[in-house]
Amino acid sequence: MIGFVLRRFGQLLPVLLLASIGIWAMIFAVPGGPIGMLVGENATPEAIAAAEKQFGLDRPAVVQYLDWLWNALQGNFGMSIHGREPVLHLIGQRLPATLHLAVAATIVSLLIGIPVAILSALKPGSWIDRVLSAWSALALGVPTFWLGILLILLFAVELHWLPSASGYVPIWEDPLAALRNLALPALTLGVYVSGILARFLRASLVGELRADYVRTARSKGLPERQVVGTHIMRNALLPFVTIVGLMMANFIGGAVVTEAVFTYPGLGRLLIQAISTRDYPLIQGCIVVILVLYIGINMAVDVLYAYIDPRIEYS
């Protein structure tokens, strides 16, 4: 297993290297570049030359990239142009909130998507299957920002059960306050993703239900619950686990709209703020952290395969 993880990490190193080149080079592809933000649009040529020398932007591009890469490997992404704080410090303040939201939204999507998929797969073509399939299509078709606004109007404005603006409260400090602040954004993301998970798991379950080993298990008199829970689910989970991992990774950097609707202080909202203010060091730092987390989650999914399907060879 350790050898497999090391090999997978070695295969990802070229990907990380190419991605780092793209992340670093993007600041030069934007009109104006970082100098325009540092000295202003109406700066004199002398001021521009002085700023380039001060920040090392007059050096060869390869030297600048290697210097940035070396600092990034040490966790130093520079100072935020507008925040005047280390980039890693700003990211560290937002990352726990994003991880809380990603885990909560994944749990909500699983609690909704798995029962829907099982009920739909066990009754193919029935009215239950048609209703649940329609619900999955509806969950996929409803925009997350619209669903978020509806949830705010219902639970915050009308019922006064939950806050309309979700802050971040560590769950180990105040579990009840943390759940109250996470409920609406997690439900918004979870409902949408549950439609995706339900469709993938249903298709996998329907395929497994037609397999020969299922008929053999039933002919031996095994209870239906054991046939579905022990045999079918384990084989159907392989493609499903992949989708769950990808969705959770997307939550980390892709929940921008939901975070904006609920003013949730997550990493996605920080990235949008950095883009709107052209805070290049902060943009680079956010993208690097999101990329590393995305790759880490995908590696964890690969390792999890060993416990789901023993037929996979890792030696």
Side-chain angles (χ1 to χ4, degrees), residues 218-268:
R218 285 172 174 165
S219 66
K220 291 181 178 180
L222 292 179
E224 189 68 14
R225 178 179 298 180
Q226 185 176 351
V227 173
V228 175
T230 304
H231 299 282
I232 298 176
M233 281 297 294
R234 184 162 186 172
N235 289 302
L237 280 179
L238 271 177
F240 182 70
V241 167
T242 303
I243 299 301
V244 172
L246 291 175
M247 291 297 102
M248 188 173 181
N250 285 332
F251 286 153
I252 293 176
V256 176
V257 175
T258 303
E259 290 182 1
V261 170
F262 294 98
T263 64
Y264 188 77
L267 190 59

mmCIF file of all heavy atoms in Angstrom, residues 218-268:
data_model
loop_
_atom_site.group_PDB
_atom_site.id
_atom_site.type_symbol
_atom_site.label_atom_id
_atom_site.label_comp_id
_atom_site.label_asym_id
_atom_site.label_seq_id
_atom_site.Cartn_x
_atom_site.Cartn_y
_atom_site.Cartn_z
ATOM 1 N N ARG A 218 -29.541 -14.969 -3.771
ATOM 2 C CA ARG A 218 -30.976 -15.086 -3.488
ATOM 3 C C ARG A 218 -31.407 -16.551 -3.498
ATOM 4 O O ARG A 218 -32.273 -16.961 -2.706
ATOM 5 C CB ARG A 218 -31.767 -14.286 -4.512
ATOM 6 C CG ARG A 218 -31.699 -12.772 -4.287
ATOM 7 C CD ARG A 218 -32.323 -12.011 -5.414
ATOM 8 N NE ARG A 218 -32.392 -10.576 -5.131
ATOM 9 C CZ ARG A 218 -32.624 -9.644 -6.046
ATOM 10 N NH1 ARG A 218 -32.819 -9.988 -7.318
ATOM 11 N NH2 ARG A 218 -32.675 -8.365 -5.705
ATOM 12 N N SER A 219 -30.825 -17.345 -4.394
ATOM 13 C CA SER A 219 -31.203 -18.760 -4.450
ATOM 14 C C SER A 219 -30.768 -19.523 -3.205
ATOM 15 O O SER A 219 -31.340 -20.557 -2.865
ATOM 16 C CB SER A 219 -30.593 -19.417 -5.692
ATOM 17 O OG SER A 219 -29.179 -19.447 -5.589
ATOM 18 N N LYS A 220 -29.759 -19.018 -2.510
ATOM 19 C CA LYS A 220 -29.321 -19.632 -1.259
ATOM 20 C C LYS A 220 -30.203 -19.237 -0.083
ATOM 21 O O LYS A 220 -29.978 -19.709 1.040
ATOM 22 C CB LYS A 220 -27.875 -19.232 -0.966
ATOM 23 C CG LYS A 220 -26.857 -19.846 -1.917
ATOM 24 C CD LYS A 220 -25.446 -19.428 -1.553
ATOM 25 C CE LYS A 220 -24.422 -20.076 -2.475
ATOM 26 N NZ LYS A 220 -23.032 -19.668 -2.129
ATOM 27 N N GLY A 221 -31.168 -18.355 -0.327
ATOM 28 C CA GLY A 221 -32.089 -17.959 0.727
ATOM 29 C C GLY A 221 -31.619 -16.812 1.591
ATOM 30 O O GLY A 221 -32.173 -16.587 2.676
ATOM 31 N N LEU A 222 -30.608 -16.057 1.126
ATOM 32 C CA LEU A 222 -30.139 -14.924 1.915
ATOM 33 C C LEU A 222 -31.209 -13.833 1.953
ATOM 34 O O LEU A 222 -31.894 -13.594 0.960
ATOM 35 C CB LEU A 222 -28.851 -14.348 1.308
ATOM 36 C CG LEU A 222 -27.602 -15.225 1.371
ATOM 37 C CD1 LEU A 222 -26.435 -14.515 0.719
ATOM 38 C CD2 LEU A 222 -27.264 -15.582 2.812
ATOM 39 N N PRO A 223 -31.370 -13.158 3.092
ATOM 40 C CA PRO A 223 -32.340 -12.060 3.170
ATOM 41 C C PRO A 223 -31.993 -10.946 2.189
ATOM 42 O O PRO A 223 -30.816 -10.707 1.885
ATOM 43 C CB PRO A 223 -32.218 -11.578 4.623
ATOM 44 C CG PRO A 223 -31.562 -12.695 5.356
ATOM 45 C CD PRO A 223 -30.689 -13.404 4.367
ATOM 46 N N GLU A 224 -33.018 -10.275 1.683
ATOM 47 C CA GLU A 224 -32.801 -9.215 0.695
ATOM 48 C C GLU A 224 -31.923 -8.101 1.252
ATOM 49 O O GLU A 224 -31.104 -7.528 0.542
ATOM 50 C CB GLU A 224 -34.154 -8.647 0.248
ATOM 51 C CG GLU A 224 -34.060 -7.687 -0.930
ATOM 52 C CD GLU A 224 -33.647 -8.371 -2.223
ATOM 53 O OE1 GLU A 224 -33.683 -9.627 -2.278
ATOM 54 O OE2 GLU A 224 -33.300 -7.667 -3.178
ATOM 55 N N ARG A 225 -32.096 -7.816 2.548
ATOM 56 C CA ARG A 225 -31.271 -6.775 3.153
ATOM 57 C C ARG A 225 -29.800 -7.151 3.110
ATOM 58 O O ARG A 225 -28.934 -6.298 2.846
ATOM 59 C CB ARG A 225 -31.707 -6.551 4.602
ATOM 60 C CG ARG A 225 -30.873 -5.517 5.346
ATOM 61 C CD ARG A 225 -31.359 -5.326 6.776
ATOM 62 N NE ARG A 225 -32.725 -4.827 6.800
ATOM 63 C CZ ARG A 225 -33.384 -4.574 7.928
ATOM 64 N NH1 ARG A 225 -32.810 -4.792 9.100
ATOM 65 N NH2 ARG A 225 -34.621 -4.129 7.886
ATOM 66 N N GLN A 226 -29.483 -8.403 3.344
ATOM 67 C CA GLN A 226 -28.091 -8.846 3.306
ATOM 68 C C GLN A 226 -27.563 -8.870 1.872
ATOM 69 O O GLN A 226 -26.402 -8.522 1.625
ATOM 70 C CB GLN A 226 -27.958 -10.234 3.928
ATOM 71 C CG GLN A 226 -26.521 -10.724 4.053
ATOM 72 C CD GLN A 226 -26.418 -12.050 4.768
ATOM 73 O OE1 GLN A 226 -27.396 -12.532 5.319
ATOM 74 N NE2 GLN A 226 -25.243 -12.651 4.748
ATOM 75 N N VAL A 227 -28.407 -9.280 0.934
ATOM 76 C CA VAL A 227 -27.987 -9.302 -0.466
ATOM 77 C C VAL A 227 -27.629 -7.898 -0.940
ATOM 78 O O VAL A 227 -26.586 -7.665 -1.565
ATOM 79 C CB VAL A 227 -29.096 -9.901 -1.353
ATOM 80 C CG1 VAL A 227 -28.724 -9.757 -2.827
ATOM 81 C CG2 VAL A 227 -29.316 -11.361 -1.011
ATOM 82 N N VAL A 228 -28.495 -6.925 -0.612
ATOM 83 C CA VAL A 228 -28.273 -5.553 -1.062
ATOM 84 C C VAL A 228 -27.146 -4.898 -0.274
ATOM 85 O O VAL A 228 -26.229 -4.300 -0.846
ATOM 86 C CB VAL A 228 -29.572 -4.722 -0.941
ATOM 87 C CG1 VAL A 228 -29.307 -3.265 -1.292
ATOM 88 C CG2 VAL A 228 -30.653 -5.308 -1.839
ATOM 89 N N GLY A 229 -27.205 -5.014 1.052
ATOM 90 C CA GLY A 229 -26.246 -4.303 1.896
ATOM 91 C C GLY A 229 -24.848 -4.865 1.864
ATOM 92 O O GLY A 229 -23.871 -4.110 1.883
ATOM 93 N N THR A 230 -24.716 -6.182 1.801
ATOM 94 C CA THR A 230 -23.396 -6.807 1.881
ATOM 95 C C THR A 230 -22.770 -7.037 0.510
ATOM 96 O O THR A 230 -21.577 -6.772 0.316
ATOM 97 C CB THR A 230 -23.493 -8.159 2.619
ATOM 98 O OG1 THR A 230 -24.076 -7.944 3.911
ATOM 99 C CG2 THR A 230 -22.119 -8.781 2.786
ATOM 100 N N HIS A 231 -23.547 -7.498 -0.448
ATOM 101 C CA HIS A 231 -22.981 -7.899 -1.739
ATOM 102 C C HIS A 231 -23.096 -6.799 -2.791
ATOM 103 O O HIS A 231 -22.106 -6.379 -3.392
ATOM 104 C CB HIS A 231 -23.668 -9.177 -2.231
ATOM 105 C CG HIS A 231 -23.473 -10.339 -1.303
ATOM 106 N ND1 HIS A 231 -22.316 -11.070 -1.246
ATOM 107 C CD2 HIS A 231 -24.311 -10.897 -0.378
ATOM 108 C CE1 HIS A 231 -22.429 -12.033 -0.336
ATOM 109 N NE2 HIS A 231 -23.631 -11.948 0.198
ATOM 110 N N ILE A 232 -24.316 -6.344 -3.027
ATOM 111 C CA ILE A 232 -24.532 -5.397 -4.126
ATOM 112 C C ILE A 232 -23.885 -4.050 -3.841
ATOM 113 O O ILE A 232 -23.198 -3.477 -4.693
ATOM 114 C CB ILE A 232 -26.043 -5.236 -4.401
ATOM 115 C CG1 ILE A 232 -26.641 -6.573 -4.839
ATOM 116 C CG2 ILE A 232 -26.287 -4.164 -5.448
ATOM 117 C CD1 ILE A 232 -28.136 -6.520 -5.037
ATOM 118 N N MET A 233 -24.106 -3.513 -2.635
ATOM 119 C CA MET A 233 -23.596 -2.179 -2.327
ATOM 120 C C MET A 233 -22.083 -2.114 -2.430
ATOM 121 O O MET A 233 -21.530 -1.132 -2.938
ATOM 122 C CB MET A 233 -24.039 -1.762 -0.927
ATOM 123 C CG MET A 233 -25.470 -1.268 -0.848
ATOM 124 S SD MET A 233 -25.738 0.255 -1.824
ATOM 125 C CE MET A 233 -24.722 1.405 -0.932
ATOM 126 N N ARG A 234 -21.393 -3.146 -1.964
ATOM 127 C CA ARG A 234 -19.932 -3.111 -1.996
ATOM 128 C C ARG A 234 -19.412 -3.043 -3.426
ATOM 129 O O ARG A 234 -18.454 -2.317 -3.707
ATOM 130 C CB ARG A 234 -19.371 -4.346 -1.295
ATOM 131 C CG ARG A 234 -17.861 -4.341 -1.198
ATOM 132 C CD ARG A 234 -17.347 -5.287 -0.163
ATOM 133 N NE ARG A 234 -15.913 -5.154 0.016
ATOM 134 C CZ ARG A 234 -15.218 -5.757 0.965
ATOM 135 N NH1 ARG A 234 -15.852 -6.519 1.833
ATOM 136 N NH2 ARG A 234 -13.915 -5.593 1.051
ATOM 137 N N ASN A 235 -20.017 -3.761 -4.334
ATOM 138 C CA ASN A 235 -19.575 -3.717 -5.733
ATOM 139 C C ASN A 235 -20.014 -2.444 -6.431
ATOM 140 O O ASN A 235 -19.353 -1.979 -7.370
ATOM 141 C CB ASN A 235 -20.119 -4.936 -6.480
ATOM 142 C CG ASN A 235 -19.451 -6.231 -6.054
ATOM 143 O OD1 ASN A 235 -18.242 -6.367 -6.151
ATOM 144 N ND2 ASN A 235 -20.229 -7.159 -5.544
ATOM 145 N N ALA A 236 -21.134 -1.884 -6.010
ATOM 146 C CA ALA A 236 -21.636 -0.673 -6.651
ATOM 147 C C ALA A 236 -20.933 0.583 -6.157
ATOM 148 O O ALA A 236 -21.103 1.657 -6.762
ATOM 149 C CB ALA A 236 -23.146 -0.543 -6.412
ATOM 150 N N LEU A 237 -20.186 0.477 -5.077
ATOM 151 C CA LEU A 237 -19.598 1.669 -4.475
ATOM 152 C C LEU A 237 -18.358 2.186 -5.200
ATOM 153 O O LEU A 237 -17.958 3.330 -4.981
ATOM 154 C CB LEU A 237 -19.236 1.393 -3.010
ATOM 155 C CG LEU A 237 -20.381 1.467 -2.009
ATOM 156 C CD1 LEU A 237 -19.872 1.147 -0.611
ATOM 157 C CD2 LEU A 237 -21.027 2.838 -2.025
ATOM 158 N N LEU A 238 -17.726 1.364 -6.043
ATOM 159 C CA LEU A 238 -16.484 1.815 -6.681
ATOM 160 C C LEU A 238 -16.666 3.088 -7.496
ATOM 161 O O LEU A 238 -16.004 4.086 -7.232
ATOM 162 C CB LEU A 238 -15.904 0.691 -7.544
ATOM 163 C CG LEU A 238 -14.957 -0.268 -6.822
ATOM 164 C CD1 LEU A 238 -14.504 -1.363 -7.766
ATOM 165 C CD2 LEU A 238 -13.757 0.464 -6.275
ATOM 166 N N PRO A 239 -17.542 3.107 -8.498
ATOM 167 C CA PRO A 239 -17.732 4.375 -9.224
ATOM 168 C C PRO A 239 -18.343 5.456 -8.345
ATOM 169 O O PRO A 239 -18.069 6.643 -8.536
ATOM 170 C CB PRO A 239 -18.671 3.993 -10.374
ATOM 171 C CG PRO A 239 -19.370 2.763 -9.912
ATOM 172 C CD PRO A 239 -18.381 2.025 -9.060
ATOM 173 N N PHE A 240 -19.145 5.052 -7.368
ATOM 174 C CA PHE A 240 -19.801 6.018 -6.493
ATOM 175 C C PHE A 240 -18.784 6.759 -5.622
ATOM 176 O O PHE A 240 -18.887 7.971 -5.428
ATOM 177 C CB PHE A 240 -20.828 5.295 -5.622
ATOM 178 C CG PHE A 240 -21.597 6.191 -4.703
ATOM 179 C CD1 PHE A 240 -22.529 7.072 -5.206
ATOM 180 C CD2 PHE A 240 -21.394 6.150 -3.339
ATOM 181 C CE1 PHE A 240 -23.248 7.902 -4.364
ATOM 182 C CE2 PHE A 240 -22.098 6.965 -2.492
ATOM 183 C CZ PHE A 240 -23.035 7.849 -3.000
ATOM 184 N N VAL A 241 -17.797 6.034 -5.089
ATOM 185 C CA VAL A 241 -16.779 6.658 -4.251
ATOM 186 C C VAL A 241 -15.991 7.686 -5.042
ATOM 187 O O VAL A 241 -15.616 8.751 -4.527
ATOM 188 C CB VAL A 241 -15.847 5.580 -3.658
ATOM 189 C CG1 VAL A 241 -14.605 6.200 -3.051
ATOM 190 C CG2 VAL A 241 -16.591 4.790 -2.593
ATOM 191 N N THR A 242 -15.728 7.398 -6.314
ATOM 192 C CA THR A 242 -15.029 8.361 -7.158
ATOM 193 C C THR A 242 -15.802 9.669 -7.259
ATOM 194 O O THR A 242 -15.219 10.762 -7.120
ATOM 195 C CB THR A 242 -14.813 7.773 -8.568
ATOM 196 O OG1 THR A 242 -14.106 6.549 -8.458
ATOM 197 C CG2 THR A 242 -14.029 8.731 -9.434
ATOM 198 N N ILE A 243 -17.099 9.576 -7.488
ATOM 199 C CA ILE A 243 -17.919 10.778 -7.620
ATOM 200 C C ILE A 243 -17.981 11.534 -6.305
ATOM 201 O O ILE A 243 -17.897 12.770 -6.279
ATOM 202 C CB ILE A 243 -19.337 10.405 -8.104
ATOM 203 C CG1 ILE A 243 -19.254 9.725 -9.470
ATOM 204 C CG2 ILE A 243 -20.211 11.639 -8.189
ATOM 205 C CD1 ILE A 243 -18.597 10.575 -10.543
ATOM 206 N N VAL A 244 -18.097 10.805 -5.190
ATOM 207 C CA VAL A 244 -18.134 11.474 -3.877
ATOM 208 C C VAL A 244 -16.841 12.238 -3.640
ATOM 209 O O VAL A 244 -16.850 13.385 -3.170
ATOM 210 C CB VAL A 244 -18.379 10.444 -2.757
ATOM 211 C CG1 VAL A 244 -18.218 11.091 -1.384
ATOM 212 C CG2 VAL A 244 -19.771 9.847 -2.877
ATOM 213 N N GLY A 245 -15.706 11.602 -3.957
ATOM 214 C CA GLY A 245 -14.427 12.284 -3.787
ATOM 215 C C GLY A 245 -14.307 13.527 -4.642
ATOM 216 O O GLY A 245 -13.844 14.582 -4.183
ATOM 217 N N LEU A 246 -14.733 13.438 -5.904
ATOM 218 C CA LEU A 246 -14.673 14.594 -6.791
ATOM 219 C C LEU A 246 -15.590 15.710 -6.317
ATOM 220 O O LEU A 246 -15.235 16.893 -6.364
ATOM 221 C CB LEU A 246 -15.049 14.173 -8.216
ATOM 222 C CG LEU A 246 -14.051 13.276 -8.949
ATOM 223 C CD1 LEU A 246 -14.615 12.844 -10.289
ATOM 224 C CD2 LEU A 246 -12.724 13.999 -9.143
ATOM 225 N N MET A 247 -16.785 15.352 -5.848
ATOM 226 C CA MET A 247 -17.716 16.374 -5.362
ATOM 227 C C MET A 247 -17.182 17.070 -4.120
ATOM 228 O O MET A 247 -17.280 18.285 -3.980
ATOM 229 C CB MET A 247 -19.078 15.745 -5.062
ATOM 230 C CG MET A 247 -19.856 15.265 -6.271
ATOM 231 S SD MET A 247 -20.298 16.594 -7.420
ATOM 232 C CE MET A 247 -19.057 16.349 -8.709
ATOM 233 N N MET A 248 -16.597 16.307 -3.208
ATOM 234 C CA MET A 248 -16.036 16.915 -2.004
ATOM 235 C C MET A 248 -14.869 17.835 -2.346
ATOM 236 O O MET A 248 -14.717 18.912 -1.764
ATOM 237 C CB MET A 248 -15.578 15.820 -1.034
ATOM 238 C CG MET A 248 -15.156 16.360 0.312
ATOM 239 S SD MET A 248 -14.799 15.055 1.501
ATOM 240 C CE MET A 248 -14.388 16.045 2.944
ATOM 241 N N ALA A 249 -14.041 17.409 -3.307
ATOM 242 C CA ALA A 249 -12.943 18.269 -3.744
ATOM 243 C C ALA A 249 -13.472 19.540 -4.396
ATOM 244 O O ALA A 249 -12.912 20.631 -4.202
ATOM 245 C CB ALA A 249 -12.043 17.505 -4.717
ATOM 246 N N ASN A 250 -14.564 19.428 -5.153
ATOM 247 C CA ASN A 250 -15.143 20.615 -5.777
ATOM 248 C C ASN A 250 -15.713 21.571 -4.739
ATOM 249 O O ASN A 250 -15.717 22.792 -4.944
ATOM 250 C CB ASN A 250 -16.248 20.206 -6.755
ATOM 251 C CG ASN A 250 -15.700 19.629 -8.041
ATOM 252 O OD1 ASN A 250 -14.597 19.976 -8.455
ATOM 253 N ND2 ASN A 250 -16.444 18.745 -8.673
ATOM 254 N N PHE A 251 -16.212 21.046 -3.629
ATOM 255 C CA PHE A 251 -16.746 21.911 -2.580
ATOM 256 C C PHE A 251 -15.680 22.863 -2.049
ATOM 257 O O PHE A 251 -15.979 23.984 -1.637
ATOM 258 C CB PHE A 251 -17.287 21.077 -1.412
ATOM 259 C CG PHE A 251 -18.593 20.396 -1.707
ATOM 260 C CD1 PHE A 251 -18.939 19.224 -1.065
ATOM 261 C CD2 PHE A 251 -19.478 20.920 -2.632
ATOM 262 C CE1 PHE A 251 -20.138 18.587 -1.329
ATOM 263 C CE2 PHE A 251 -20.680 20.288 -2.919
ATOM 264 C CZ PHE A 251 -21.007 19.126 -2.260
ATOM 265 N N ILE A 252 -14.438 22.405 -2.033
ATOM 266 C CA ILE A 252 -13.372 23.194 -1.412
ATOM 267 C C ILE A 252 -13.115 24.479 -2.194
ATOM 268 O O ILE A 252 -12.898 25.543 -1.610
ATOM 269 C CB ILE A 252 -12.089 22.351 -1.303
ATOM 270 C CG1 ILE A 252 -12.326 21.207 -0.308
ATOM 271 C CG2 ILE A 252 -10.906 23.198 -0.872
ATOM 272 C CD1 ILE A 252 -11.181 20.245 -0.182
ATOM 273 N N GLY A 253 -13.128 24.413 -3.500
ATOM 274 C CA GLY A 253 -12.877 25.621 -4.279
ATOM 275 C C GLY A 253 -14.026 26.062 -5.146
ATOM 276 O O GLY A 253 -13.974 27.141 -5.733
ATOM 277 N N GLY A 254 -15.079 25.243 -5.243
ATOM 278 C CA GLY A 254 -16.146 25.549 -6.181
ATOM 279 C C GLY A 254 -17.453 25.987 -5.577
ATOM 280 O O GLY A 254 -18.445 26.114 -6.291
ATOM 281 N N ALA A 255 -17.490 26.208 -4.255
ATOM 282 C CA ALA A 255 -18.734 26.623 -3.597
ATOM 283 C C ALA A 255 -18.826 28.140 -3.518
ATOM 284 O O ALA A 255 -19.349 28.695 -2.551
ATOM 285 C CB ALA A 255 -18.820 26.014 -2.208
ATOM 286 N N VAL A 256 -18.329 28.812 -4.547
ATOM 287 C CA VAL A 256 -18.239 30.270 -4.518
ATOM 288 C C VAL A 256 -19.612 30.910 -4.454
ATOM 289 O O VAL A 256 -19.860 31.823 -3.653
ATOM 290 C CB VAL A 256 -17.459 30.770 -5.754
ATOM 291 C CG1 VAL A 256 -17.443 32.293 -5.783
ATOM 292 C CG2 VAL A 256 -16.054 30.212 -5.750
ATOM 293 N N VAL A 257 -20.540 30.440 -5.303
ATOM 294 C CA VAL A 257 -21.870 31.042 -5.361
ATOM 295 C C VAL A 257 -22.594 30.880 -4.033
ATOM 296 O O VAL A 257 -23.182 31.821 -3.494
ATOM 297 C CB VAL A 257 -22.683 30.424 -6.514
ATOM 298 C CG1 VAL A 257 -24.109 30.950 -6.498
ATOM 299 C CG2 VAL A 257 -22.017 30.724 -7.853
ATOM 300 N N THR A 258 -22.535 29.667 -3.481
ATOM 301 C CA THR A 258 -23.208 29.416 -2.204
ATOM 302 C C THR A 258 -22.589 30.241 -1.086
ATOM 303 O O THR A 258 -23.302 30.793 -0.233
ATOM 304 C CB THR A 258 -23.133 27.917 -1.854
ATOM 305 O OG1 THR A 258 -23.719 27.168 -2.915
ATOM 306 C CG2 THR A 258 -23.860 27.622 -0.563
ATOM 307 N N GLU A 259 -21.276 30.344 -1.062
ATOM 308 C CA GLU A 259 -20.625 31.154 -0.037
ATOM 309 C C GLU A 259 -21.001 32.621 -0.183
ATOM 310 O O GLU A 259 -21.143 33.336 0.824
ATOM 311 C CB GLU A 259 -19.109 30.976 -0.124
ATOM 312 C CG GLU A 259 -18.633 29.606 0.318
ATOM 313 C CD GLU A 259 -17.127 29.472 0.273
ATOM 314 O OE1 GLU A 259 -16.456 30.456 -0.084
ATOM 315 O OE2 GLU A 259 -16.610 28.389 0.605
ATOM 316 N N ALA A 260 -21.182 33.078 -1.416
ATOM 317 C CA ALA A 260 -21.575 34.473 -1.628
ATOM 318 C C ALA A 260 -23.013 34.713 -1.171
ATOM 319 O O ALA A 260 -23.314 35.753 -0.570
ATOM 320 C CB ALA A 260 -21.414 34.843 -3.098
ATOM 321 N N VAL A 261 -23.922 33.764 -1.438
ATOM 322 C CA VAL A 261 -25.329 33.932 -1.045
ATOM 323 C C VAL A 261 -25.456 34.030 0.469
ATOM 324 O O VAL A 261 -26.205 34.858 0.997
ATOM 325 C CB VAL A 261 -26.173 32.759 -1.589
ATOM 326 C CG1 VAL A 261 -27.576 32.785 -0.982
ATOM 327 C CG2 VAL A 261 -26.262 32.840 -3.108
ATOM 328 N N PHE A 262 -24.713 33.194 1.184
ATOM 329 C CA PHE A 262 -24.821 33.153 2.644
ATOM 330 C C PHE A 262 -23.728 33.963 3.336
ATOM 331 O O PHE A 262 -23.618 33.894 4.560
ATOM 332 C CB PHE A 262 -24.769 31.702 3.130
ATOM 333 C CG PHE A 262 -25.940 30.870 2.695
ATOM 334 C CD1 PHE A 262 -25.852 30.043 1.583
ATOM 335 C CD2 PHE A 262 -27.146 30.921 3.368
ATOM 336 C CE1 PHE A 262 -26.923 29.272 1.172
ATOM 337 C CE2 PHE A 262 -28.225 30.157 2.962
ATOM 338 C CZ PHE A 262 -28.120 29.336 1.863
ATOM 339 N N THR A 263 -22.937 34.718 2.548
ATOM 340 C CA THR A 263 -21.785 35.472 3.079
ATOM 341 C C THR A 263 -20.921 34.588 3.977
ATOM 342 O O THR A 263 -20.473 35.017 5.050
ATOM 343 C CB THR A 263 -22.240 36.735 3.837
ATOM 344 O OG1 THR A 263 -23.005 36.355 4.992
ATOM 345 C CG2 THR A 263 -23.059 37.649 2.954
ATOM 346 N N TYR A 264 -20.725 33.366 3.555
ATOM 347 C CA TYR A 264 -19.954 32.415 4.343
ATOM 348 C C TYR A 264 -18.466 32.669 4.128
ATOM 349 O O TYR A 264 -17.999 32.763 2.995
ATOM 350 C CB TYR A 264 -20.316 30.984 3.928
ATOM 351 C CG TYR A 264 -19.723 29.923 4.807
ATOM 352 C CD1 TYR A 264 -20.276 29.652 6.049
ATOM 353 C CD2 TYR A 264 -18.614 29.195 4.401
ATOM 354 C CE1 TYR A 264 -19.733 28.665 6.867
ATOM 355 C CE2 TYR A 264 -18.074 28.216 5.204
ATOM 356 C CZ TYR A 264 -18.630 27.953 6.433
ATOM 357 O OH TYR A 264 -18.089 26.992 7.246
ATOM 358 N N PRO A 265 -17.684 32.796 5.202
ATOM 359 C CA PRO A 265 -16.267 33.180 5.073
ATOM 360 C C PRO A 265 -15.368 32.016 4.692
ATOM 361 O O PRO A 265 -14.501 31.598 5.461
ATOM 362 C CB PRO A 265 -15.939 33.709 6.472
ATOM 363 C CG PRO A 265 -16.809 32.916 7.388
ATOM 364 C CD PRO A 265 -18.093 32.674 6.618
ATOM 365 N N GLY A 266 -15.554 31.477 3.499
ATOM 366 C CA GLY A 266 -14.772 30.333 3.058
ATOM 367 C C GLY A 266 -13.682 30.707 2.076
ATOM 368 O O GLY A 266 -13.502 31.878 1.704
ATOM 369 N N LEU A 267 -12.953 29.697 1.630
ATOM 370 C CA LEU A 267 -11.822 29.916 0.725
ATOM 371 C C LEU A 267 -12.285 30.371 -0.649
ATOM 372 O O LEU A 267 -11.623 31.183 -1.300
ATOM 373 C CB LEU A 267 -11.016 28.620 0.614
ATOM 374 C CG LEU A 267 -9.670 28.686 -0.094
ATOM 375 C CD1 LEU A 267 -8.743 29.675 0.598
ATOM 376 C CD2 LEU A 267 -9.024 27.299 -0.133
ATOM 377 N N GLY A 268 -13.423 29.851 -1.127
ATOM 378 C CA GLY A 268 -13.927 30.266 -2.435
ATOM 379 C C GLY A 268 -14.261 31.750 -2.469
ATOM 380 O O GLY A 268 -13.974 32.446 -3.443
#
